[in-house]
PDB file of all heavy atoms in Angstrom:
ATOM      1  N   GLU A   2      -3.585  37.631  -7.725  1.00 46.00           N
ATOM      2  CA  GLU A   2      -3.889  36.453  -8.548  1.00 46.00           C
ATOM      3  C   GLU A   2      -2.754  35.439  -8.479  1.00 46.00           C
ATOM      4  O   GLU A   2      -2.991  34.227  -8.405  1.00 46.00           O
ATOM      5  CB  GLU A   2      -4.130  36.894  -9.998  1.00 46.00           C
ATOM      6  CG  GLU A   2      -4.582  35.746 -10.886  1.00 46.00           C
ATOM      7  CD  GLU A   2      -4.879  36.224 -12.294  1.00 46.00           C
ATOM      8  OE1 GLU A   2      -5.043  37.450 -12.490  1.00 46.00           O
ATOM      9  OE2 GLU A   2      -4.939  35.375 -13.190  1.00 46.00           O
ATOM     10  N   SER A  10      -1.919  25.734  -5.836  1.00 77.00           N
ATOM     11  CA  SER A  10      -0.927  24.711  -6.165  1.00 77.00           C
ATOM     12  C   SER A  10      -0.408  24.016  -4.913  1.00 77.00           C
ATOM     13  O   SER A  10      -0.152  22.812  -4.920  1.00 77.00           O
ATOM     14  CB  SER A  10       0.229  25.333  -6.947  1.00 77.00           C
ATOM     15  OG  SER A  10       0.973  26.226  -6.133  1.00 77.00           O
ATOM     16  N   GLY A  24      -2.338   5.247   0.026  1.00 88.00           N
ATOM     17  CA  GLY A  24      -2.285   3.951  -0.631  1.00 88.00           C
ATOM     18  C   GLY A  24      -0.868   3.468  -0.862  1.00 88.00           C
ATOM     19  O   GLY A  24      -0.642   2.474  -1.541  1.00 88.00           O
ATOM     20  N   ILE A  71       3.873 -17.119   7.434  1.00 96.00           N
ATOM     21  CA  ILE A  71       2.835 -16.133   7.101  1.00 96.00           C
ATOM     22  C   ILE A  71       3.340 -14.709   7.335  1.00 96.00           C
ATOM     23  O   ILE A  71       3.122 -13.808   6.516  1.00 96.00           O
ATOM     24  CB  ILE A  71       1.558 -16.398   7.936  1.00 96.00           C
ATOM     25  CG1 ILE A  71       0.868 -17.678   7.468  1.00 96.00           C
ATOM     26  CG2 ILE A  71       0.592 -15.211   7.841  1.00 96.00           C
ATOM     27  CD1 ILE A  71      -0.308 -18.088   8.328  1.00 96.00           C
ATOM     28  N   LEU A  99       1.445   3.613  -9.190  1.00 96.00           N
ATOM     29  CA  LEU A  99       0.829   3.544  -7.868  1.00 96.00           C
ATOM     30  C   LEU A  99      -0.613   3.061  -7.952  1.00 96.00           C
ATOM     31  O   LEU A  99      -1.083   2.307  -7.081  1.00 96.00           O
ATOM     32  CB  LEU A  99       0.885   4.913  -7.189  1.00 96.00           C
ATOM     33  CG  LEU A  99       2.266   5.375  -6.721  1.00 96.00           C
ATOM     34  CD1 LEU A  99       2.208   6.827  -6.251  1.00 96.00           C
ATOM     35  CD2 LEU A  99       2.787   4.482  -5.600  1.00 96.00           C
ATOM     36  N   ASN A 102      -0.638  -0.623  -8.792  1.00 96.00           N
ATOM     37  CA  ASN A 102      -0.133  -1.364  -7.647  1.00 96.00           C
ATOM     38  C   ASN A 102      -1.257  -1.868  -6.746  1.00 96.00           C
ATOM     39  O   ASN A 102      -1.099  -2.846  -6.014  1.00 96.00           O
ATOM     40  CB  ASN A 102       0.827  -0.470  -6.855  1.00 96.00           C
ATOM     41  CG  ASN A 102       1.622  -1.227  -5.821  1.00 96.00           C
ATOM     42  OD1 ASN A 102       1.938  -2.403  -5.995  1.00 96.00           O
ATOM     43  ND2 ASN A 102       1.955  -0.563  -4.741  1.00 96.00           N
ATOM     44  N   GLU A 149      10.067  14.098  -7.715  1.00 89.00           N
ATOM     45  CA  GLU A 149       9.992  14.657  -9.062  1.00 89.00           C
ATOM     46  C   GLU A 149       8.868  15.678  -9.214  1.00 89.00           C
ATOM     47  O   GLU A 149       8.851  16.443 -10.181  1.00 89.00           O
ATOM     48  CB  GLU A 149       9.798  13.531 -10.080  1.00 89.00           C
ATOM     49  CG  GLU A 149      10.997  12.593 -10.167  1.00 89.00           C
ATOM     50  CD  GLU A 149      10.760  11.433 -11.111  1.00 89.00           C
ATOM     51  OE1 GLU A 149       9.656  11.371 -11.702  1.00 89.00           O
ATOM     52  OE2 GLU A 149      11.662  10.592 -11.260  1.00 89.00           O
ATOM     53  N   ILE A 182     -12.279  -3.505  18.080  1.00 92.00           N
ATOM     54  CA  ILE A 182     -12.562  -3.083  16.698  1.00 92.00           C
ATOM     55  C   ILE A 182     -12.539  -4.303  15.781  1.00 92.00           C
ATOM     56  O   ILE A 182     -13.586  -4.915  15.538  1.00 92.00           O
ATOM     57  CB  ILE A 182     -11.559  -1.999  16.244  1.00 92.00           C
ATOM     58  CG1 ILE A 182     -11.590  -0.809  17.226  1.00 92.00           C
ATOM     59  CG2 ILE A 182     -11.888  -1.513  14.830  1.00 92.00           C
ATOM     60  CD1 ILE A 182     -10.626   0.308  16.905  1.00 92.00           C
ATOM     61  N   ILE A 198      -9.269  -0.604   2.236  1.00 96.00           N
ATOM     62  CA  ILE A 198      -9.930   0.703   2.372  1.00 96.00           C
ATOM     63  C   ILE A 198      -9.012   1.852   1.963  1.00 96.00           C
ATOM     64  O   ILE A 198      -9.399   2.697   1.145  1.00 96.00           O
ATOM     65  CB  ILE A 198     -10.464   0.886   3.810  1.00 96.00           C
ATOM     66  CG1 ILE A 198     -11.539  -0.166   4.099  1.00 96.00           C
ATOM     67  CG2 ILE A 198     -11.027   2.297   4.007  1.00 96.00           C
ATOM     68  CD1 ILE A 198     -12.038  -0.172   5.529  1.00 96.00           C
ATOM     69  N   CYS A 237       2.401  28.831 -11.217  1.00 60.00           N
ATOM     70  CA  CYS A 237       2.964  29.953 -11.966  1.00 60.00           C
ATOM     71  C   CYS A 237       3.189  29.542 -13.398  1.00 60.00           C
ATOM     72  O   CYS A 237       3.135  28.352 -13.738  1.00 60.00           O
ATOM     73  CB  CYS A 237       4.281  30.430 -11.335  1.00 60.00           C
ATOM     74  SG  CYS A 237       5.553  29.165 -11.301  1.00 60.00           S
TER      75      CYS A 237
END
Side-chain angles (χ1 to χ4, degrees):
E2 186 177 343
S10 67
I71 290 174
L99 289 172
N102 192 31
E149 294 176 0
I182 304 179
I198 296 174
C237 61

